[in-house]
Amino acid sequence: MWTTVLGEPISMPVGIAPTIGSAALHEDAEATFGRAASRAKTLMVLSSVGDLPIETFVKKVPQDGLYWAQTYLFRDRRNTLHIVRNAERAGFKAIVVTVDSPVEHKSVGSKNGPTRRYLDILFRTPVANIRFMDGQEREFSKEGTTLAELWADGAACHKESFCFANWDELAWLKSQTKLAIVLKGVVSADSARQAASFGVAGILVSAHGGRQLDGVPAPLDVLPEIVHAVKDTNVEIYMDGGVRTGNDVLKALALGARAVFIGRPALYGLAYNEEEGVDQVLNILKEELSITMALCGCSTISEVDRSIVKHETEFHPKL
């Protein structure tokens, strides 16, 4: 069951993805995820727009855990560097750059949207790692702030987060750190090849939980073409989105992913039973994966290959 990501050993090919707003479920949600991942001997990716400052996070999780830091290429580069420098000091192993959100989908936070009530919750330090807005250092309100205020059209946080990330900005980031860079949000072979040419260490095939662009292909469907596009490089491929069972994990591995990441399942576990609930989710996925591998005749991760999966279209009758 053990494998590696960027040379670091993990007990199972399942990590915890970056998520926003988890403090609505638990005030120390990100630290809870970090501790659960550490106990499971896997990795966790800390969100740059989460609700726990990165400096606080590192004080609340085991120092020998495996953590990556997610960031956007913010308009104000000081925000990106704040995350990168703290990640370097804390011993994080990679920077995950999300590149699929140059603008916000209009359904997010709309008056009639499903997230409206969630956005009206008062957070103590919402999007805590964005430290500069409109060119000024940010001051946190003692009373807290709602996400609705921060993400309103034209608001400073909204303008700072949703910005066009081009390849020049990625080259700048690469010049600023020696940490490995993983590109998150790639769903095409062309983008994968270009990312590989820039020297990224990994690609996280992701559709942003399916909430940015309606009709975008499922990550599992585009995974094979992306794996093929970089097959002659050392770039590692990961996937998130739609992973709910160990069976789902095995499908992704068989199609070429080195590991998968879970977002909503970790949140569900947290909502169900706090930190122990996150432990349960990881343990369930690990057990299900082990059973599914055994039923497919695989005793190790290295034995998992594409021969054990077929796309459903292969079983449709030809008319």
Side-chain angles (χ1 to χ4, degrees), residues 238-305:
Y238 321 110
M239 191 202 82
D240 72 17
V243 177
R244 299 293 182 271
T245 68
N247 192 303
D248 296 330
V249 178
L250 187 65
K251 290 174 185 176
L253 298 181
L255 293 175
R258 190 165 191 86
V260 302
F261 290 85
I262 57 168
R264 289 184 178 94
L267 293 170
Y268 297 156
L270 183 66
Y272 164 66
N273 198 19
E274 299 186 333
E275 195 161 328
E276 186 177 340
V278 184
D279 290 337
Q280 288 176 272
V281 167
L282 292 172
N283 288 333
I284 288 170
L285 286 172
K286 187 174 184 178
E287 182 180 16
E288 288 179 346
L289 175 58
S290 178
I291 293 171
T292 307
M293 286 175 57
L295 292 174
C296 290
C298 302
S299 58
T300 64
I301 295 294
S302 62
E303 294 176 7
V304 177
D305 61 33

Short mmCIF file of all heavy atoms in Angstrom, two decimals, residues 238-305:
data_model
loop_
_atom_site.label_atom_id
_atom_site.label_comp_id
_atom_site.label_asym_id
_atom_site.label_seq_id
_atom_site.Cartn_x
_atom_site.Cartn_y
_atom_site.Cartn_z
N TYR A 238 -1.14 13.42 -10.33
CA TYR A 238 -2.10 13.15 -9.26
C TYR A 238 -3.49 13.54 -9.76
O TYR A 238 -3.63 14.19 -10.79
CB TYR A 238 -1.75 13.94 -8.00
CG TYR A 238 -0.27 14.02 -7.70
CD1 TYR A 238 0.42 15.22 -7.84
CD2 TYR A 238 0.44 12.89 -7.30
CE1 TYR A 238 1.78 15.29 -7.59
CE2 TYR A 238 1.80 12.95 -7.04
CZ TYR A 238 2.48 14.17 -7.19
OH TYR A 238 3.82 14.24 -6.96
N MET A 239 -4.51 13.20 -8.99
CA MET A 239 -5.87 13.54 -9.39
C MET A 239 -6.73 13.83 -8.17
O MET A 239 -6.56 13.19 -7.12
CB MET A 239 -6.50 12.39 -10.18
CG MET A 239 -7.82 12.73 -10.88
SD MET A 239 -8.83 11.26 -11.26
CE MET A 239 -9.62 10.96 -9.68
N ASP A 240 -7.63 14.79 -8.29
CA ASP A 240 -8.68 14.94 -7.29
C ASP A 240 -10.02 15.10 -8.01
O ASP A 240 -10.07 15.31 -9.21
CB ASP A 240 -8.40 16.09 -6.32
CG ASP A 240 -8.57 17.48 -6.94
OD1 ASP A 240 -9.20 17.62 -8.01
OD2 ASP A 240 -8.06 18.45 -6.35
N GLY A 241 -11.10 14.96 -7.24
CA GLY A 241 -12.43 15.11 -7.80
C GLY A 241 -13.14 13.78 -7.99
O GLY A 241 -12.66 12.90 -8.70
N GLY A 242 -14.26 13.61 -7.31
CA GLY A 242 -15.08 12.41 -7.48
C GLY A 242 -14.59 11.17 -6.75
O GLY A 242 -15.16 10.09 -6.92
N VAL A 243 -13.58 11.31 -5.93
CA VAL A 243 -13.06 10.14 -5.19
C VAL A 243 -13.90 9.95 -3.93
O VAL A 243 -13.87 10.79 -3.03
CB VAL A 243 -11.58 10.32 -4.82
CG1 VAL A 243 -11.09 9.13 -3.99
CG2 VAL A 243 -10.74 10.47 -6.07
N ARG A 244 -14.65 8.88 -3.88
CA ARG A 244 -15.52 8.60 -2.74
C ARG A 244 -15.28 7.22 -2.13
O ARG A 244 -15.70 6.97 -1.00
CB ARG A 244 -16.99 8.71 -3.16
CG ARG A 244 -17.40 10.10 -3.66
CD ARG A 244 -17.35 11.13 -2.55
NE ARG A 244 -17.79 12.44 -3.02
CZ ARG A 244 -17.00 13.37 -3.55
NH1 ARG A 244 -15.69 13.12 -3.67
NH2 ARG A 244 -17.45 14.54 -3.93
N THR A 245 -14.67 6.32 -2.88
CA THR A 245 -14.45 4.96 -2.39
C THR A 245 -13.05 4.49 -2.77
O THR A 245 -12.38 5.08 -3.63
CB THR A 245 -15.47 3.97 -3.02
OG1 THR A 245 -15.20 3.86 -4.43
CG2 THR A 245 -16.90 4.44 -2.80
N GLY A 246 -12.64 3.38 -2.17
CA GLY A 246 -11.37 2.78 -2.55
C GLY A 246 -11.37 2.31 -3.99
O GLY A 246 -10.33 2.30 -4.66
N ASN A 247 -12.54 1.95 -4.49
CA ASN A 247 -12.69 1.58 -5.90
C ASN A 247 -12.31 2.75 -6.80
O ASN A 247 -11.62 2.59 -7.81
CB ASN A 247 -14.13 1.13 -6.15
CG ASN A 247 -14.32 0.47 -7.49
OD1 ASN A 247 -14.02 1.06 -8.51
ND2 ASN A 247 -14.85 -0.74 -7.49
N ASP A 248 -12.74 3.95 -6.42
CA ASP A 248 -12.40 5.15 -7.19
C ASP A 248 -10.89 5.40 -7.18
O ASP A 248 -10.30 5.79 -8.18
CB ASP A 248 -13.11 6.38 -6.60
CG ASP A 248 -14.61 6.30 -6.71
OD1 ASP A 248 -15.11 5.68 -7.66
OD2 ASP A 248 -15.30 6.87 -5.82
N VAL A 249 -10.27 5.17 -6.03
CA VAL A 249 -8.82 5.34 -5.92
C VAL A 249 -8.11 4.40 -6.89
O VAL A 249 -7.19 4.80 -7.62
CB VAL A 249 -8.33 5.09 -4.48
CG1 VAL A 249 -6.81 5.22 -4.40
CG2 VAL A 249 -8.99 6.04 -3.49
N LEU A 250 -8.54 3.15 -6.90
CA LEU A 250 -7.89 2.16 -7.75
C LEU A 250 -8.03 2.52 -9.23
O LEU A 250 -7.08 2.35 -10.01
CB LEU A 250 -8.46 0.77 -7.50
CG LEU A 250 -7.73 -0.37 -8.21
CD1 LEU A 250 -6.30 -0.50 -7.69
CD2 LEU A 250 -8.47 -1.69 -8.07
N LYS A 251 -9.19 3.01 -9.64
CA LYS A 251 -9.39 3.42 -11.03
C LYS A 251 -8.37 4.49 -11.43
O LYS A 251 -7.77 4.43 -12.51
CB LYS A 251 -10.80 3.95 -11.24
CG LYS A 251 -11.89 2.89 -11.16
CD LYS A 251 -13.26 3.56 -11.24
CE LYS A 251 -14.38 2.55 -11.04
NZ LYS A 251 -15.72 3.20 -11.02
N ALA A 252 -8.20 5.48 -10.56
CA ALA A 252 -7.25 6.56 -10.86
C ALA A 252 -5.82 6.03 -10.95
O ALA A 252 -5.06 6.42 -11.84
CB ALA A 252 -7.35 7.66 -9.81
N LEU A 253 -5.45 5.15 -10.04
CA LEU A 253 -4.11 4.57 -10.07
C LEU A 253 -3.90 3.77 -11.35
O LEU A 253 -2.85 3.84 -11.98
CB LEU A 253 -3.89 3.68 -8.85
CG LEU A 253 -3.96 4.33 -7.47
CD1 LEU A 253 -3.69 3.28 -6.38
CD2 LEU A 253 -2.97 5.48 -7.34
N ALA A 254 -4.92 2.99 -11.73
CA ALA A 254 -4.82 2.16 -12.93
C ALA A 254 -4.66 3.01 -14.18
O ALA A 254 -4.01 2.59 -15.14
CB ALA A 254 -6.05 1.28 -13.05
N LEU A 255 -5.23 4.22 -14.16
CA LEU A 255 -5.15 5.11 -15.32
C LEU A 255 -3.92 6.01 -15.28
O LEU A 255 -3.76 6.89 -16.13
CB LEU A 255 -6.42 5.94 -15.44
CG LEU A 255 -7.69 5.13 -15.79
CD1 LEU A 255 -8.92 6.03 -15.75
CD2 LEU A 255 -7.56 4.45 -17.14
N GLY A 256 -3.06 5.82 -14.29
CA GLY A 256 -1.78 6.50 -14.29
C GLY A 256 -1.51 7.50 -13.20
O GLY A 256 -0.41 8.07 -13.14
N ALA A 257 -2.48 7.75 -12.33
CA ALA A 257 -2.23 8.67 -11.22
C ALA A 257 -1.31 8.03 -10.18
O ALA A 257 -1.43 6.83 -9.91
CB ALA A 257 -3.54 9.09 -10.57
N ARG A 258 -0.43 8.82 -9.63
CA ARG A 258 0.45 8.30 -8.57
C ARG A 258 -0.27 8.31 -7.22
O ARG A 258 -0.01 7.47 -6.35
CB ARG A 258 1.73 9.13 -8.50
CG ARG A 258 2.79 8.51 -7.60
CD ARG A 258 4.14 9.12 -7.79
NE ARG A 258 5.17 8.35 -7.12
CZ ARG A 258 5.79 7.31 -7.64
NH1 ARG A 258 5.50 6.91 -8.87
NH2 ARG A 258 6.71 6.66 -6.95
N ALA A 259 -1.17 9.28 -7.06
CA ALA A 259 -1.96 9.38 -5.84
C ALA A 259 -3.19 10.23 -6.14
O ALA A 259 -3.25 10.93 -7.16
CB ALA A 259 -1.15 10.02 -4.71
N VAL A 260 -4.18 10.17 -5.26
CA VAL A 260 -5.36 11.00 -5.39
C VAL A 260 -5.50 11.86 -4.13
O VAL A 260 -4.90 11.56 -3.09
CB VAL A 260 -6.64 10.16 -5.59
CG1 VAL A 260 -6.52 9.27 -6.81
CG2 VAL A 260 -6.95 9.32 -4.34
N PHE A 261 -6.32 12.89 -4.25
CA PHE A 261 -6.58 13.77 -3.12
C PHE A 261 -8.09 13.87 -2.91
O PHE A 261 -8.86 13.88 -3.87
CB PHE A 261 -5.99 15.15 -3.35
CG PHE A 261 -4.49 15.17 -3.32
CD1 PHE A 261 -3.75 14.86 -4.46
CD2 PHE A 261 -3.81 15.47 -2.16
CE1 PHE A 261 -2.36 14.85 -4.44
CE2 PHE A 261 -2.42 15.47 -2.11
CZ PHE A 261 -1.70 15.15 -3.26
N ILE A 262 -8.50 13.95 -1.64
CA ILE A 262 -9.92 14.07 -1.31
C ILE A 262 -10.19 15.40 -0.64
O ILE A 262 -9.43 15.86 0.21
CB ILE A 262 -10.38 12.91 -0.40
CG1 ILE A 262 -9.52 12.86 0.90
CG2 ILE A 262 -10.32 11.58 -1.15
CD1 ILE A 262 -10.09 11.93 1.96
N GLY A 263 -11.30 16.04 -1.04
CA GLY A 263 -11.72 17.29 -0.43
C GLY A 263 -13.00 17.10 0.36
O GLY A 263 -13.00 17.08 1.59
N ARG A 264 -14.11 16.90 -0.35
CA ARG A 264 -15.40 16.76 0.31
C ARG A 264 -15.45 15.58 1.31
O ARG A 264 -16.01 15.74 2.40
CB ARG A 264 -16.52 16.63 -0.73
CG ARG A 264 -16.79 17.94 -1.48
CD ARG A 264 -17.97 17.78 -2.42
NE ARG A 264 -18.28 19.02 -3.13
CZ ARG A 264 -17.83 19.35 -4.32
NH1 ARG A 264 -16.99 18.53 -4.95
NH2 ARG A 264 -18.17 20.49 -4.90
N PRO A 265 -14.90 14.40 0.97
CA PRO A 265 -14.94 13.32 1.97
C PRO A 265 -14.30 13.71 3.31
O PRO A 265 -14.79 13.32 4.37
CB PRO A 265 -14.19 12.18 1.29
CG PRO A 265 -14.43 12.41 -0.16
CD PRO A 265 -14.37 13.91 -0.32
N ALA A 266 -13.20 14.45 3.25
CA ALA A 266 -12.57 14.89 4.50
C ALA A 266 -13.49 15.85 5.25
O ALA A 266 -13.59 15.79 6.49
CB ALA A 266 -11.23 15.56 4.20
N LEU A 267 -14.16 16.73 4.51
CA LEU A 267 -15.11 17.66 5.14
C LEU A 267 -16.29 16.90 5.74
O LEU A 267 -16.76 17.24 6.83
CB LEU A 267 -15.62 18.67 4.11
CG LEU A 267 -14.59 19.67 3.59
CD1 LEU A 267 -15.17 20.45 2.41
CD2 LEU A 267 -14.14 20.64 4.68
N TYR A 268 -16.76 15.87 5.04
CA TYR A 268 -17.86 15.07 5.57
C TYR A 268 -17.45 14.40 6.88
O TYR A 268 -18.23 14.36 7.85
CB TYR A 268 -18.27 13.99 4.57
CG TYR A 268 -18.80 14.50 3.25
CD1 TYR A 268 -18.73 13.71 2.10
CD2 TYR A 268 -19.36 15.78 3.13
CE1 TYR A 268 -19.21 14.16 0.88
CE2 TYR A 268 -19.83 16.24 1.90
CZ TYR A 268 -19.75 15.43 0.78
OH TYR A 268 -20.21 15.87 -0.43
N GLY A 269 -16.24 13.86 6.91
CA GLY A 269 -15.76 13.23 8.13
C GLY A 269 -15.66 14.21 9.28
O GLY A 269 -16.03 13.90 10.42
N LEU A 270 -15.18 15.41 8.98
CA LEU A 270 -15.06 16.45 9.99
C LEU A 270 -16.43 16.83 10.53
O LEU A 270 -16.61 17.00 11.74
CB LEU A 270 -14.36 17.68 9.40
CG LEU A 270 -14.07 18.83 10.35
CD1 LEU A 270 -13.05 18.44 11.40
CD2 LEU A 270 -13.57 20.05 9.56
N ALA A 271 -17.41 16.98 9.64
CA ALA A 271 -18.76 17.35 10.05
C ALA A 271 -19.41 16.24 10.89
O ALA A 271 -20.14 16.51 11.84
CB ALA A 271 -19.62 17.66 8.83
N TYR A 272 -19.11 15.01 10.53
CA TYR A 272 -19.71 13.86 11.21
C TYR A 272 -19.17 13.67 12.63
O TYR A 272 -19.93 13.50 13.58
CB TYR A 272 -19.48 12.60 10.39
CG TYR A 272 -19.71 11.31 11.14
CD1 TYR A 272 -20.98 10.97 11.59
CD2 TYR A 272 -18.65 10.45 11.41
CE1 TYR A 272 -21.19 9.80 12.29
CE2 TYR A 272 -18.85 9.27 12.10
CZ TYR A 272 -20.13 8.94 12.55
OH TYR A 272 -20.32 7.79 13.25
N ASN A 273 -17.85 13.69 12.76
CA ASN A 273 -17.28 13.33 14.06
C ASN A 273 -15.95 14.02 14.32
O ASN A 273 -15.03 13.42 14.89
CB ASN A 273 -17.11 11.81 14.16
CG ASN A 273 -16.95 11.32 15.59
OD1 ASN A 273 -17.32 12.02 16.53
ND2 ASN A 273 -16.41 10.12 15.76
N GLU A 274 -15.83 15.27 13.88
CA GLU A 274 -14.63 16.07 14.10
C GLU A 274 -13.36 15.32 13.67
O GLU A 274 -13.35 14.69 12.62
CB GLU A 274 -14.58 16.53 15.57
CG GLU A 274 -15.77 17.40 15.95
CD GLU A 274 -15.67 17.98 17.33
OE1 GLU A 274 -15.01 17.38 18.21
OE2 GLU A 274 -16.25 19.08 17.54
N GLU A 275 -12.32 15.40 14.47
CA GLU A 275 -11.04 14.84 14.05
C GLU A 275 -11.10 13.33 13.86
O GLU A 275 -10.53 12.78 12.92
CB GLU A 275 -9.96 15.20 15.08
CG GLU A 275 -8.55 14.99 14.60
CD GLU A 275 -7.52 15.76 15.43
OE1 GLU A 275 -7.86 16.87 15.92
OE2 GLU A 275 -6.40 15.27 15.56
N GLU A 276 -11.83 12.66 14.74
CA GLU A 276 -11.96 11.21 14.62
C GLU A 276 -12.69 10.84 13.33
O GLU A 276 -12.41 9.80 12.72
CB GLU A 276 -12.72 10.64 15.83
CG GLU A 276 -12.78 9.13 15.86
CD GLU A 276 -13.47 8.60 17.10
OE1 GLU A 276 -13.56 9.34 18.10
OE2 GLU A 276 -13.93 7.43 17.06
N GLY A 277 -13.60 11.70 12.90
CA GLY A 277 -14.31 11.45 11.66
C GLY A 277 -13.39 11.49 10.45
O GLY A 277 -13.56 10.71 9.51
N VAL A 278 -12.41 12.40 10.46
CA VAL A 278 -11.44 12.46 9.37
C VAL A 278 -10.58 11.20 9.38
O VAL A 278 -10.28 10.63 8.32
CB VAL A 278 -10.57 13.73 9.48
CG1 VAL A 278 -9.62 13.83 8.27
CG2 VAL A 278 -11.43 14.99 9.56
N ASP A 279 -10.19 10.76 10.58
CA ASP A 279 -9.45 9.50 10.70
C ASP A 279 -10.25 8.35 10.07
O ASP A 279 -9.70 7.51 9.33
CB ASP A 279 -9.20 9.16 12.18
CG ASP A 279 -8.19 10.07 12.84
OD1 ASP A 279 -7.37 10.67 12.12
OD2 ASP A 279 -8.21 10.17 14.08
N GLN A 280 -11.54 8.33 10.36
CA GLN A 280 -12.39 7.25 9.86
C GLN A 280 -12.45 7.25 8.33
O GLN A 280 -12.39 6.19 7.70
CB GLN A 280 -13.80 7.38 10.44
CG GLN A 280 -13.90 7.03 11.92
CD GLN A 280 -15.28 7.28 12.47
OE1 GLN A 280 -15.61 8.37 12.91
NE2 GLN A 280 -16.11 6.25 12.43
N VAL A 281 -12.58 8.43 7.74
CA VAL A 281 -12.63 8.53 6.28
C VAL A 281 -11.36 7.96 5.66
O VAL A 281 -11.41 7.16 4.71
CB VAL A 281 -12.85 9.99 5.84
CG1 VAL A 281 -12.59 10.14 4.34
CG2 VAL A 281 -14.26 10.44 6.18
N LEU A 282 -10.21 8.36 6.19
CA LEU A 282 -8.94 7.87 5.64
C LEU A 282 -8.80 6.36 5.84
O LEU A 282 -8.34 5.65 4.93
CB LEU A 282 -7.77 8.61 6.30
CG LEU A 282 -7.65 10.09 5.95
CD1 LEU A 282 -6.57 10.76 6.82
CD2 LEU A 282 -7.32 10.27 4.48
N ASN A 283 -9.22 5.87 7.00
CA ASN A 283 -9.12 4.43 7.25
C ASN A 283 -10.06 3.64 6.35
O ASN A 283 -9.70 2.55 5.86
CB ASN A 283 -9.45 4.14 8.72
CG ASN A 283 -8.35 4.60 9.67
OD1 ASN A 283 -7.19 4.67 9.28
ND2 ASN A 283 -8.72 4.90 10.90
N ILE A 284 -11.26 4.17 6.12
CA ILE A 284 -12.21 3.49 5.24
C ILE A 284 -11.66 3.39 3.82
O ILE A 284 -11.70 2.33 3.18
CB ILE A 284 -13.56 4.23 5.24
CG1 ILE A 284 -14.29 4.01 6.57
CG2 ILE A 284 -14.45 3.75 4.08
CD1 ILE A 284 -15.51 4.90 6.75
N LEU A 285 -11.13 4.50 3.32
CA LEU A 285 -10.58 4.50 1.96
C LEU A 285 -9.41 3.53 1.84
O LEU A 285 -9.27 2.80 0.85
CB LEU A 285 -10.15 5.91 1.57
CG LEU A 285 -11.27 6.90 1.25
CD1 LEU A 285 -10.72 8.30 1.06
CD2 LEU A 285 -12.05 6.46 0.01
N LYS A 286 -8.56 3.50 2.87
CA LYS A 286 -7.42 2.59 2.83
C LYS A 286 -7.86 1.14 2.83
O LYS A 286 -7.35 0.30 2.06
CB LYS A 286 -6.50 2.87 4.03
CG LYS A 286 -5.20 2.09 3.99
CD LYS A 286 -4.27 2.51 5.13
CE LYS A 286 -2.93 1.80 5.02
NZ LYS A 286 -1.99 2.25 6.09
N GLU A 287 -8.83 0.82 3.67
CA GLU A 287 -9.33 -0.57 3.73
C GLU A 287 -10.02 -0.95 2.43
O GLU A 287 -9.81 -2.05 1.90
CB GLU A 287 -10.29 -0.72 4.91
CG GLU A 287 -10.81 -2.14 5.06
CD GLU A 287 -11.76 -2.29 6.24
OE1 GLU A 287 -12.26 -1.27 6.75
OE2 GLU A 287 -12.00 -3.45 6.64
N GLU A 288 -10.86 -0.05 1.90
CA GLU A 288 -11.55 -0.35 0.65
C GLU A 288 -10.57 -0.55 -0.50
O GLU A 288 -10.75 -1.43 -1.34
CB GLU A 288 -12.52 0.79 0.31
CG GLU A 288 -13.75 0.84 1.20
CD GLU A 288 -14.66 1.99 0.83
OE1 GLU A 288 -14.24 2.90 0.08
OE2 GLU A 288 -15.81 2.00 1.31
N LEU A 289 -9.53 0.30 -0.54
CA LEU A 289 -8.53 0.16 -1.59
C LEU A 289 -7.82 -1.19 -1.48
O LEU A 289 -7.59 -1.88 -2.48
CB LEU A 289 -7.51 1.30 -1.52
CG LEU A 289 -6.33 1.21 -2.49
CD1 LEU A 289 -6.82 1.16 -3.94
CD2 LEU A 289 -5.38 2.38 -2.29
N SER A 290 -7.48 -1.58 -0.26
CA SER A 290 -6.79 -2.85 -0.05
C SER A 290 -7.65 -4.02 -0.52
O SER A 290 -7.16 -4.94 -1.20
CB SER A 290 -6.46 -3.01 1.44
OG SER A 290 -5.84 -4.25 1.69
N ILE A 291 -8.93 -3.98 -0.18
CA ILE A 291 -9.84 -5.06 -0.59
C ILE A 291 -10.01 -5.09 -2.10
O ILE A 291 -9.96 -6.16 -2.73
CB ILE A 291 -11.21 -4.89 0.11
CG1 ILE A 291 -11.06 -5.12 1.62
CG2 ILE A 291 -12.24 -5.83 -0.49
CD1 ILE A 291 -12.30 -4.76 2.42
N THR A 292 -10.20 -3.91 -2.70
CA THR A 292 -10.39 -3.83 -4.15
C THR A 292 -9.15 -4.32 -4.89
O THR A 292 -9.25 -5.02 -5.90
CB THR A 292 -10.73 -2.39 -4.58
OG1 THR A 292 -11.83 -1.91 -3.80
CG2 THR A 292 -11.11 -2.33 -6.05
N MET A 293 -7.97 -3.94 -4.39
CA MET A 293 -6.73 -4.43 -5.01
C MET A 293 -6.66 -5.95 -4.95
O MET A 293 -6.32 -6.61 -5.94
CB MET A 293 -5.52 -3.81 -4.30
CG MET A 293 -5.27 -2.36 -4.63
SD MET A 293 -3.91 -1.66 -3.64
CE MET A 293 -2.55 -2.77 -4.03
N ALA A 294 -6.99 -6.51 -3.80
CA ALA A 294 -6.93 -7.97 -3.64
C ALA A 294 -7.89 -8.66 -4.61
O ALA A 294 -7.55 -9.68 -5.23
CB ALA A 294 -7.26 -8.34 -2.20
N LEU A 295 -9.08 -8.10 -4.75
CA LEU A 295 -10.07 -8.70 -5.65
C LEU A 295 -9.67 -8.57 -7.12
O LEU A 295 -10.15 -9.33 -7.96
CB LEU A 295 -11.44 -8.05 -5.42
CG LEU A 295 -12.10 -8.35 -4.06
CD1 LEU A 295 -13.37 -7.53 -3.89
CD2 LEU A 295 -12.41 -9.84 -3.94
N CYS A 296 -8.80 -7.61 -7.40
CA CYS A 296 -8.28 -7.45 -8.77
C CYS A 296 -6.96 -8.18 -8.97
O CYS A 296 -6.34 -8.08 -10.04
CB CYS A 296 -8.10 -5.96 -9.08
SG CYS A 296 -9.65 -5.05 -9.27
N GLY A 297 -6.50 -8.88 -7.95
CA GLY A 297 -5.28 -9.66 -8.07
C GLY A 297 -4.00 -8.86 -7.91
O GLY A 297 -2.94 -9.29 -8.37
N CYS A 298 -4.09 -7.71 -7.24
CA CYS A 298 -2.91 -6.86 -7.04
C CYS A 298 -2.51 -6.87 -5.57
O CYS A 298 -3.31 -6.50 -4.70
CB CYS A 298 -3.19 -5.42 -7.48
SG CYS A 298 -3.70 -5.27 -9.20
N SER A 299 -1.29 -7.26 -5.29
CA SER A 299 -0.82 -7.28 -3.91
C SER A 299 -0.03 -6.03 -3.55
O SER A 299 0.17 -5.73 -2.37
CB SER A 299 0.05 -8.52 -3.66
OG SER A 299 1.15 -8.56 -4.55
N THR A 300 0.44 -5.29 -4.54
CA THR A 300 1.17 -4.04 -4.31
C THR A 300 0.68 -2.98 -5.29
O THR A 300 0.10 -3.29 -6.34
CB THR A 300 2.69 -4.22 -4.50
OG1 THR A 300 2.95 -4.55 -5.87
CG2 THR A 300 3.22 -5.32 -3.59
N ILE A 301 0.94 -1.71 -4.96
CA ILE A 301 0.56 -0.61 -5.84
C ILE A 301 1.23 -0.74 -7.21
O ILE A 301 0.64 -0.44 -8.24
CB ILE A 301 0.94 0.75 -5.21
CG1 ILE A 301 0.14 1.00 -3.92
CG2 ILE A 301 0.72 1.89 -6.18
CD1 ILE A 301 -1.34 1.17 -4.12
N SER A 302 2.46 -1.23 -7.22
CA SER A 302 3.20 -1.34 -8.48
C SER A 302 2.55 -2.32 -9.46
O SER A 302 2.83 -2.28 -10.66
CB SER A 302 4.65 -1.74 -8.21
OG SER A 302 4.71 -3.02 -7.59
N GLU A 303 1.71 -3.22 -8.95
CA GLU A 303 1.05 -4.19 -9.81
C GLU A 303 -0.23 -3.65 -10.45
O GLU A 303 -0.80 -4.30 -11.33
CB GLU A 303 0.71 -5.45 -9.01
CG GLU A 303 1.95 -6.21 -8.54
CD GLU A 303 1.59 -7.40 -7.67
OE1 GLU A 303 0.37 -7.70 -7.53
OE2 GLU A 303 2.51 -8.02 -7.12
N VAL A 304 -0.66 -2.48 -10.00
CA VAL A 304 -1.88 -1.88 -10.55
C VAL A 304 -1.57 -1.26 -11.91
O VAL A 304 -0.68 -0.41 -12.02
CB VAL A 304 -2.45 -0.80 -9.60
CG1 VAL A 304 -3.67 -0.12 -10.22
CG2 VAL A 304 -2.79 -1.40 -8.25
N ASP A 305 -2.27 -1.67 -12.95
CA ASP A 305 -2.06 -1.08 -14.27
C ASP A 305 -3.39 -0.96 -15.00
O ASP A 305 -4.44 -1.37 -14.50
CB ASP A 305 -1.04 -1.87 -15.09
CG ASP A 305 -1.48 -3.31 -15.35
OD1 ASP A 305 -2.70 -3.56 -15.48
OD2 ASP A 305 -0.60 -4.19 -15.43
#
